[in-house]
Structures are given as C-alpha cells and as structure tokens.
Amino acid sequence: MSREQVGPTATSIADDVRNGRVQPAAVAREALDRIAARNDDLHAFVVVRPDEVLREADAIAVRADLRALPLAGVPVAIKDNVPVTGYPMRNGSLATSDTPAAADHPVVARLRGAGAVVVGLTSVPELCLWGATDGADGIARNPWNRDLTPGGSSGGAAAAVSSGMVPVAHGNDGMGSIRIPAANCGLVGIKPGLGLVPSELGNGSWFGMSENGPLTTTVADAALLLSVMADDPDLAYVDAPETTRIGVAVESPSPVVRVDPHFRQAALDVARELERIGHRTSTAALPYPASPLGQLARWTAGGAADAAGLDVSALQKRTRRHIAVGRRAARFVRPSQTETLTRRMRSYFESLDVVLTPALAAPPIRADRWSERGWAANMAANIRYAPFAAPWNLLGWPAVSVPAGLHPESGTPLAVQLAGPPGSERRLLALAAQIEQHRPWPRTAADR
C-alpha cells in the first residue's frame, strides 16, 4: 500500500486546506473510502457519518476563519464514550441508553471549533473497562497482526489510525487506555496531566484518573491535537529540548509480572540513543506503589459508578462481577494512596526530569471474545501485559507512548513510555520528537 493510500498527516491536511490546495470534502471522501475498505476487517468504527461528514466538510470550506483553523478539514475519530451531538453514547454496551446526545463533549466541541470533521465513533470494550476491545458489535483487531488486539479501551481509535483510515483519533486513558493501544499499534499516544484537558468522563472520571488525549502517527500531530484539546496553541510547537536528566526504569512495576526481554531492550536502546544525542541517562528504579490496592479500587469502583442506573442484567458477565467488586472496593479509595505516591515521586524527580520505561510488559493479547470469559481471566490478562501505565493515572501526571521498533515474534510494534511531573507535556513531546527523528517508525501498519 502506498503512502498516498494510507493518507497524509493531520498537520499536512490542515495546511493544504488552509491554503486552498485541497477541499475539505475531498479529504473527507478519501477517509470515508478507506473506512469502507478496511473497517469490516478491523472493526475500528461502530458508527460512520458519511452524509453528515460531507455536509460539515463543505461548511468548513466556507468558514470566514478558515485560514486560522489549526485542524482545517482534518478527519478525526471520536471514542464512543463521550457525547457527540445526535448519536447515542453506547460505551460498548447494550445496557446503555440509545438516546442521542443533545450536545458535544467539550473536547469534541473544541475539535470541531478548530475545523476537524468527525467521521465516526470508534469501538470500545464494555464501559471502557478492559485492555482488549470486543464490544457489543464485534472484535477490534490490530492492523499489524489481526490475530491480536489493538488494545483497550481506545482500541477502535488505535486500529482506525494505525490502519490509515483516519490520521488522528480522540481517546481517553484511565489505566492506560490511550498509551496501551498506542503501544500495541505503533502510534504516539499521550495522556495529559490532570486539568490540562477537560475530562468529564462517566461519573467522576474514575476518581480523577481518566484524561482525554490524542492517538496519532507522528509527534507533530500529537502536539497539534493536544493543543486543540487543551485550548493552548503553544502546545502545538515542539522545540528541541534542553539537556534532560532521564531516569531509565525497565523493572516490572509488579513482582508477579515479567517484562518481555524485547520490550526491556527497546527501552535500553532508546535510552542509549537519547544519551548519544546529548541527554543524561541513569538507571533509576521507580518507587512504584507498594500495593496495587489504590489503582485496583479506583478501577473497579470507577466502573461501578459508571454503571449506576444501568440494567445490570444487560451487562456482560465479567462487567457484572467487576462492578460488584467495585461497590465493595469504594471504601478502599483513599486520598492517602495518591498523597503517598506523589511524595515519593516528587522525591524521585528531584534529580531527574523524565523517566523512561517500557510501554508494555508483553505483546498484545489475542483478539478474542474476552467478554465471554470470566472476570479473573480478564483481570490477569490485562495486568500481565500492561502494568506500566496505571501509576501515572493514579498520580494525574503526564505520560506518552512512543514507538520503538517491532517485536520479532508477534510482528506488532515495540514501544517505550516517557513520563514526568506535572506540566511536563511539552518536554515529553520534545523528547518523543527527537526519538522520531533519530529512530523513525512506520506511520501505519501498511508502511512497514
């Protein structure tokens, strides 16, 4: 498949539209054609809006502020767990309401205000609880290896971008749900820090752990999309970072999880490249929480809060068990859990600016009907392959997943995670851009 078939970046699309080299409707038609050709295989989208997309694209073309729109004519996919006007927010479940949303989520409104065209809604696992995406309508598949999952819960979003259906997608991340799919699919995915982007997810955003953010094929697109979501134009500009003190932490966050040697080596290789560029790296084990209780209690109790008012009998068996556990676990959600971890991490970062870890502990799990398996099997599978993400949700600090090669056995991407203290989003993106420059990656699975 040629680069033209895969499609240009969001940055280049917006530039072409602003300068009259291409019409938004032409860009939209190309995206719709790619979705029609690939979605049946990958199940990335649960809703596609062909008629509305073309009307909205034509409206962008005649906007008086066209030349000032940062996302002029850019096709974007929205994860099906935030409101989009005129469409039900099903959240991967038959138990949710089929009443169309009366208004856009603030992030969707910002994307549209910036000139983006919403082409459709992407698939998610039920209530966005799981690390593989098999929703009520089907199983999402990884474009790099269709036997494996693109991840969850932003799995449909990652499959849509990494297959080239759309250049960028919206996702959100409560326990790694942007970074895990990004790592599985060779994308850049950033979870911003608390308060940078409006969250407003479910009933309490999983006790403040969940954030909205972008999934993209390039760092420039990630910065551009994040700048719009945050309503901060300065975030779109990625400058070369000053010399950065980088801690390298390749050890598992959990004594019961083994890190795949290829993911471990990918992190060491990236660290070596960053040191060659001029940054200072040192081995520095992270002070992970001594107990996973804080994370697990928020995961389960947050799911129970999101299920409030739903017909429990219509939920999947694993979800019913999850929310039953969550109702009991709510009493274990304590501010001291985040306060203790924050103190330890602030001490860690007194001598460091950024930490680099593997993004995953193993390649993606299989693209199966995980919804038909038990709760314990789902929990074990999710925790074993993706333990590195959740501490940054508990903290509310930013973290980004960056591609770092290919796994020789699964054929899916390797990836590293960069994380830092509050306000470090620009530094993380700048380091990611240097990795992209010195260790370029295929933009999509078709480019490999």
Side-chain angles (χ1 to χ4, degrees):
M1 183 179 294
S2 71
R3 184 65 58 92
E4 288 73 27
Q5 287 176 296
V6 168
T9 65
T11 302
S12 64
I13 289 170
D15 185 64
D16 284 344
V17 169
R18 284 193 300 266
N19 289 285
R21 291 187 290 267
V22 66
Q23 290 298 307
V27 177
R29 287 191 192 94
E30 290 173 0
L32 291 170
D33 288 346
R34 290 192 294 269
I35 293 169
R38 300 167 196 169
N39 194 53
D40 284 350
D41 183 32
L42 298 175
H43 192 62
F45 285 90
V46 291
V47 171
V48 182
R49 314 172 60 242
D51 296 333
E52 298 94 328
V53 163
L54 294 175
R55 285 197 299 270
E56 291 168 14
D58 285 336
I60 288 168
V62 297
R63 278 179 58 167
D65 60 349
L66 175 65
R67 291 185 64 84
L69 297 177
L71 294 175
V74 174
V76 63
I78 302 298
K79 185 175 176 180
D80 187 25
N81 73 331
V82 299
V84 174
T85 303
Y87 291 88
M89 187 184 74
R90 299 311 305 265
N91 212 358
S93 179
L94 297 175
T96 52
S97 172
D98 61 0
T99 301
D104 288 334
H105 185 280
V107 166
V108 178
R110 288 180 178 182
L111 293 170
R112 283 181 154 156
V117 180
V118 175
V119 296
L121 310 179
T122 56
S123 58
V124 299
E126 188 164 56
L127 304 189
C128 293
L129 290 169
W130 313 105
T133 297
D134 58 309
D137 298 321
I139 301 172
R141 299 186 179 276
N142 192 316
W144 293 84
N145 180 340
R146 286 162 175 76
D147 292 331
L148 304 181
T149 183
S153 62
S154 305
V161 176
S162 64
S163 64
M165 295 188 211
V166 289
V168 294
H170 154 267
N172 35 56
D173 189 317
M175 289 274 284
S177 291
I178 289 172
R179 289 160 291 151
I180 293 167
N184 283 345
C185 295
L187 302 175
V188 180
I190 183 166
K191 180 199 80 70
L194 183 67
L196 183 68
V197 174
S199 52
E200 300 183 25
L201 296 163
N203 293 321
S205 300
W206 285 10
F207 299 91
M209 291 203 304
S210 296
E211 304 291 344
N212 291 294
L215 293 103
T216 69
T217 64
T218 69
V219 175
D221 277 4
L224 175 62
L225 209 63
L226 182 64
S227 74
V228 171
M229 291 180 174
D231 194 22
D232 182 355
D234 287 344
L235 282 171
Y237 301 100
V238 180
D239 299 320
E242 299 176 351
T243 298
T244 302
R245 302 168 300 171
I246 303 170
V248 182
V250 297
E251 295 78 13
S252 173
S254 167
V256 300
V257 176
R258 172 183 174 272
V259 180
D260 178 290
H262 300 291
F263 276 95
R264 181 190 298 270
Q265 189 60 49
L268 295 174
D269 290 345
V270 169
R272 190 158 38 246
E273 184 65 29
L274 289 170
E275 185 166 346
R276 188 190 67 79
I277 293 168
H279 301 292
R280 298 201 298 269
T281 67
S282 59
T283 300
L286 276 163
Y288 288 114
S291 166
L293 181 61
Q295 297 165 184
L296 295 176
R298 285 165 173 78
W299 180 13
T300 56
D306 287 350
L310 299 182
D311 178 1
V312 174
S313 67
L315 293 171
Q316 298 163 358
K317 179 181 177 181
R318 62 176 179 175
T319 305
R320 294 198 300 271
R321 175 71 183 278
H322 195 85
I323 64 175
V325 171
R327 287 171 182 148
R328 295 191 294 272
R331 67 181 184 274
F332 297 111
V333 175
R334 301 184 179 119
S336 60
Q337 294 156 342
T338 58
E339 292 165 356
T340 300
L341 181 59
T342 298
R343 284 196 303 270
R344 296 175 69 191
M345 285 293 191
R346 287 197 181 281
S347 177
Y348 178 88
F349 281 101
E350 286 178 358
S351 59
L352 297 168
D353 302 307
V354 168
V355 66
L356 184 152
T357 77
L360 300 172
I365 58 179
R366 293 192 62 80
D368 285 340
R369 279 287 182 192
W370 287 94
S371 56
E372 297 177 0
R373 301 191 190 186
W375 178 76
N378 276 269
M379 293 287 285
N382 287 199
I383 292 167
R384 275 200 300 264
Y385 97 95
F388 287 99
W392 308 101
N393 297 93
L394 190 60
L395 285 163
W397 293 9
V400 58
S401 179
V402 185
L406 289 179
H407 197 285
E409 297 167 8
S410 68
T412 52
L414 296 164
V416 298
Q417 177 180 242
L418 298 169
S424 61
E425 286 87 356
R426 290 192 70 178
R427 186 191 290 271
L428 297 178
L429 288 168
L431 288 171
Q434 287 192 320
I435 296 169
E436 182 179 26
Q437 178 185 356
H438 292 274
R439 293 172 55 94
W441 53 76
R443 276 191 53 224
T444 71
D447 286 324
R448 75 187 88 177

